[in-house]
Amino acid sequence: MAIVTQTPLNPGDSPLVREALSSVVSRETSVGQAAGSAGPTSVDGDVWPRPAKTRVIAVANQKGGVGKTTTSVNIAAALSMHGQRVLVVDLDPQGNASTALATEHRGDVPDVYQVLVDDLPMADIVKQVPDMPNLYCAPATIDLAGAEIELVSLVAREARLRRALAAYDAVEFDYIIIDCPPSLGLLTVNALVAADEVMIPIQCEYYALEGLGQLLRNVDLIRAHLNPTLRLSTIVLTMYDGRTRLASQVAEEVRSHFGDTVLNTVIPRSVRLSEAPSYGQSVMTYDPGSSGAMAYKDAAREIAHQAPVA
């Protein structure tokens, strides 16, 4: 696996922070080297349990800029690096997940739009992510922006993605992670109907809970009328800044409302998380020793060890 070596230290860090981060990077490097002979199951010898059946997870929040795509891509990458076979379905017309996974998504590339609107088989668009043998991506192009309108007149418009995944040989995957657009339109509805679980990234800032009630009401409606197996399985706290009292207050409020649904791991603000997509990588390969990479690895481990639901 090609890992771009980057210095995880920022010029503005204090000497104490630099020393701490340096020790973390050296520890990560030594662990990776020691695990070099462990085989392809895991990059560091940490073997995670595979689910009994494919877990289909929709990553949704109608509020933009909360880290949906960053969470989708890096959770998927972390799982794939620990022996899981993962498919990322990019359902956002901006195609940011496709960019981060170095998957071509020009306008003439077969994409999720043609699967939803033209009944193109999912197998015709899925591509393996470069240098990530267990990770695959179903890309999105800007054409997907028109799908909201075109789906309105189609039969079973809310279940087009579920039907496409059912026809696809998804048995080979341990996880299918669907990156939703920042809206509650038909694309997000398709994701929720196709999924068994909902993962909600929540930004640790003011307005974090704005609109969350509407998303949860939509989940309840879809469970009642279209997908009785759907459940809210995971909430991820993102963009956490431990220096601010506000971040701690938001985290505490979310935990008081949702309890064990909230992962213990919080995702910190990290420049590396923002930089990685510009290199066509997840932060897991761009800078595996960074705070963001280690946080997403811990979050993915929690998800992998979640108790199965009958």
Side-chain angles (χ1 to χ4, degrees):
M1 182 180 302
I3 295 180
V4 176
T5 303
Q6 297 287 339
T7 305
L9 307 179
N10 298 321
D13 289 338
S14 68
L16 284 175
V17 172
R18 284 175 171 273
E19 183 180 352
L21 286 177
S22 295
S23 66
V24 166
V25 173
S26 62
R27 185 171 67 251
E28 286 274 317
T29 302
S30 62
V31 169
Q33 290 172 344
S37 59
T41 303
S42 170
V43 295
D44 57 8
D46 186 6
V47 180
W48 297 350
R50 299 180 66 178
K53 65 172 186 174
T54 304
R55 291 177 62 180
V56 185
I57 305 173
V59 182
N61 191 331
Q62 76 269 31
K63 187 177 185 300
V66 300
K68 284 188 299 297
T69 298
T70 301
T71 296
S72 300
V73 166
N74 289 297
I75 291 290
L79 288 168
S80 73
M81 293 169 73
H82 289 81
Q84 316 293 314
R85 290 177 60 82
V86 186
L87 169 64
V88 176
V89 178
D90 191 353
L91 213 59
D92 188 343
Q94 297 175 86
N96 291 337
S98 305
T99 298
L101 295 175
T103 303
E104 185 62 63
H105 60 108
R106 301 186 313 272
D108 58 345
V109 171
D111 75 319
V112 176
Y113 167 83
Q114 290 165 295
V115 170
L116 295 177
V117 176
D118 299 330
D119 293 321
L120 185 72
M122 182 69 77
D124 289 358
I125 71 166
V126 171
K127 301 290 188 294
Q128 183 180 328
V129 176
D131 302 317
M132 301 283 284
N134 288 329
L135 187 57
Y136 295 79
C137 179
T141 69
I142 193 62
D143 290 346
L144 196 57
E148 294 275 4
I149 298 172
E150 296 188 50
L151 284 171
V152 170
S153 61
L154 297 181
V155 175
R157 61 192 181 188
E158 301 93 350
R160 307 284 290 187
L161 181 59
R162 180 171 66 183
R163 189 175 69 178
L165 289 176
Y168 184 50
D169 185 15
V171 177
E172 63 181 292
F173 293 109
D174 298 301
Y175 294 84
I176 297 176
I177 296 178
I178 307 171
D179 182 32
C180 298
S183 73
L184 291 177
L186 272 173
L187 291 176
T188 298
V189 169
N190 262 268
L192 296 177
V193 172
D196 302 312
E197 306 175 36
V198 184
M199 181 191 301
I200 304 178
I202 296 181
Q203 186 179 11
C204 292
E205 292 189 358
Y206 196 62
Y207 295 137
L209 303 179
E210 286 280 312
L212 188 57
Q214 183 59 53
L215 173 59
L216 295 176
R217 281 191 292 274
N218 277 25
V219 170
D220 288 339
L221 285 170
I222 288 169
R223 184 189 298 118
H225 300 288
L226 297 168
N227 182 9
T229 64
L230 184 66
R231 65 187 179 93
L232 173 60
S233 65
T234 312
I235 290 178
V236 187
L237 295 169
T238 63
M239 303 181 188
Y240 184 84
D241 187 345
R243 299 170 300 179
T244 67
R245 185 178 176 185
L246 177 61
S248 299
Q249 289 175 334
V250 170
E252 185 178 338
E253 185 173 354
V254 172
R255 290 189 191 282
S256 69
H257 276 86
F258 297 101
D260 292 341
T261 303
V262 186
L263 295 183
N264 293 322
T265 304
V266 295
I267 309 301
R269 284 195 173 275
S270 169
V271 174
R272 295 305 190 199
L273 289 173
S274 302
E275 290 176 349
S278 65
Y279 290 87
Q281 297 184 64
S282 70
V283 76
M284 308 306 299
T285 55
Y286 174 68
D287 191 347
S290 66
S291 59
M294 289 187 291
Y296 272 118
K297 176 184 171 182
D298 290 342
R301 183 190 289 108
E302 283 192 62
I303 292 168
H305 284 84
Q306 281 175 339
V309 175

